[in-house]
Amino acid sequence: NAGVTQTPKFRILKIGQSMTLQCAQDMNHNYMYWYRQDPGMGLKLIYYSVGAGITDKGEVPNGYNVSRSTTEDFPLRLELAAPSQTSVYFCASSPSGRAGEQFFGPGTRLTVL
Amino acid sequence: AQKVTQAQTEISVVEKEDVTLDCVYETRDTTYYLFWYKQPPSGELVFLIRRNSFDEQNEISGRYSWNFQKSTSSFNFTITASQVVDSAVYFCALSEAGDDKIIFGKGTRLHILP
């Protein structure tokens, strides 16, 4: 099993550009999450999904969009990149949501200049 | 609203010393879950432990132990006989029974000096 995979690992964007961060898991987990990690600020939840076709906002959803058409994939879309979106983005999945451990991907380091 | 506070931003200890990482949480729910995760310098996040609100037993796993006290809303993590490989950022997290979100603290950066 590959676990949770994220692509790309690194990306530099110009202000106003768009991109999609890819996340996939092969553990058949229903729950998936997107976090951003800013230096010294811990993890903040952007969006999450409790199953295919269902998504919901986290703490910091502005500037992002998600979709969940399959159990395996949970892409995160940045429509108009801003410097404030410079961060490390982590995707995670869980078999049992709030009560279970989360399995994290390796992260995507995004810089917006 | 749920909240997790890790007051220690950064801690440095010499190898083989014991160290305790503090975690204080706030919740209105009677059913909730607490977690600890480790983020080594390589960057990935690794699950360490989960505890539900009805289980106040302390847990020990090798050199790691966790002390859960509902009376003080704390879930502290102790590393005994620390090793350089324990150097990492450690996150405490909380989820409530009525919510699928998990809230993380800001983390404590632990340096184990050889």
Side-chain angles (χ1 to χ4, degrees):
Chain A
N1 285 352
V4 179
T5 57
Q6 291 183 240
T7 55
K9 290 186 179 179
F10 304 94
R11 184 71 186 268
I12 298 175
L13 281 182
K14 294 182 179 178
I15 294 172
Q17 285 186 321
S18 301
M19 77 163 295
T20 298
L21 280 65
Q22 300 291 345
C23 174
Q25 53 95 5
D26 60 1
M27 297 173 282
N28 202 34
H29 290 169
N30 283 325
Y31 297 82
M32 295 189 75
Y33 307 82
W34 273 107
Y35 295 91
R36 58 177 288 173
Q37 183 178 26
D38 300 325
M41 295 301 293
L43 292 160
K44 292 191 175 179
L45 183 64
I46 305 172
Y47 272 96
Y48 65 101
S49 169
V50 303
I54 306 169
T55 62
D56 209 344
K57 296 177 180 179
E59 299 174 83
V60 290
N62 290 345
Y64 307 95
N65 276 301
V66 293
S67 59
R68 185 93 182 271
S69 56
T70 67
T71 299
E72 294 77 19
D73 300 299
F74 190 40
L76 177 71
R77 178 86 177 157
L78 283 70
E79 290 295 347
L80 292 169
S84 60
Q85 293 177 305
T86 294
S87 191
V88 180
Y89 292 83
F90 286 98
C91 178
S93 72
S94 174
S96 50
R98 67 185 79 91
E101 74 172 277
Q102 294 194 354
F103 296 79
F104 283 83
T108 294
R109 185 175 295 274
L110 176 67
T111 302
V112 182
L113 300 174
Chain B
Q2 57 195 115
K3 184 179 178 182
V4 176
T5 302
Q6 295 180 255
Q8 303 152 308
T9 305
E10 202 158 346
I11 301 174
S12 294
V13 300
V14 177
E15 198 173 19
K16 297 184 183 177
E17 288 185 353
D18 299 347
V19 57
T20 295
L21 309 182
D22 298 332
C23 174
V24 174
Y25 62 91
E26 294 178 26
T27 178
R28 294 176 184 169
D29 268 6
T30 55
T31 302
Y32 53 89
Y33 304 89
L34 295 162
F35 306 82
W36 276 95
Y37 285 83
K38 174 181 180 180
Q39 186 177 38
S42 54
E44 78 277 16
L45 283 127
V46 178
F47 168 82
L48 294 177
I49 190 172
R50 179 195 69 186
R51 174 68 70 219
N52 74 56
S53 54
F54 298 108
D55 182 3
E56 283 195 78
Q57 277 194 330
N58 292 331
E59 178 146 347
I60 298 174
S61 176
R63 297 183 296 105
Y64 295 174
S65 62
W66 291 268
N67 182 289
F68 176 30
Q69 290 196 336
K70 290 175 76 170
S71 60
T72 56
S73 296
S74 65
F75 186 44
N76 296 336
F77 173 31
T78 297
I79 301 175
T80 303
S82 60
Q83 299 177 2
V84 172
V85 293
D86 295 326
S87 297
V89 181
Y90 291 87
F91 292 98
C92 182
L94 164 72
S95 67
E96 297 171 333
D99 194 342
D100 284 305
K101 296 192 291 291
I102 297 176
I103 300 299
F104 284 78
K106 293 185 178 181
T108 297
R109 184 176 296 277
L110 177 64
H111 300 278
I112 308 297
L113 308 172

